[in-house]
Amino acid sequence: QVQLVESGGGLVQAGGSLKLSCAASGRTFSSYGMGWFRQAPGKEREFVAAINWTGGSTYYADSVKGRFTISRDNAKKTVYLQMNSLKPEDTAVYYCAADNLGLRVGVRLSGYDYWGQGTQVTVSS
């Protein structure tokens, strides 16, 4: 069982940066693949970025590639999402998720086993 708590969201102007954190409980965090998803008002939850259990493999949605960076610190049981050059269309609730199959970088919601409660990111124009 893994519990996930996101933090770091807030209000930022377009072009600005934010760094999200997702702190995990449980002794087996290092064996999980981790992902970030987001959900804008009236839209479905969508994939943003994923990282495998070692941190050696990452994958990004085209919409954030080159602007966002996912990373993890297994000693701190934390996964991060550095978001640069933010745009108003990045406004959403951001969720982190844990995948029991740590070797993969999953892009599907259904592939994740545990979810955090989300943190709001608002980008003003």
Side-chain angles (χ1 to χ4, degrees):
Q1 186 80 10
V2 175
Q3 291 185 327
L4 304 171
V5 179
E6 301 96 336
S7 62
L11 173 64
V12 64
Q13 288 188 332
S17 298
L18 281 175
K19 186 174 185 177
L20 306 183
S21 299
C22 173
S25 64
R27 292 177 289 180
T28 58
F29 171 78
S30 59
S31 67
Y32 288 92
M34 299 297 296
W36 285 96
F37 292 77
R38 65 187 182 186
Q39 187 166 17
K43 295 187 176 181
E44 294 185 351
R45 194 172 298 189
E46 65 175 7
F47 169 77
V48 175
I51 189 167
N52 73 341
W53 68 289
T54 66
S57 182
T58 58
Y59 193 76
Y60 298 91
D62 288 342
S63 60
V64 307
K65 201 172 295 182
R67 300 188 297 123
F68 290 12
T69 303
I70 188 170
S71 61
R72 67 189 296 161
D73 185 333
N74 285 343
K76 295 183 178 180
K77 297 181 182 179
T78 302
V79 63
Y80 305 97
L81 186 68
Q82 176 67 49
M83 305 186 295
N84 298 328
S85 302
L86 282 161
K87 305 175 181 180
E89 51 264 43
D90 294 319
T91 295
V93 177
Y94 283 70
Y95 299 89
C96 71
D99 177 2
N100 277 322
L101 296 180
L103 287 175
R104 69 182 175 189
V105 282
V107 302
R108 296 186 176 184
L109 278 73
S110 60
Y112 287 83
D113 303 286
Y114 306 101
W115 291 84
Q117 293 300 306
T119 185
Q120 176 71 47
V121 171
T122 303
V123 184
S124 63
S125 57

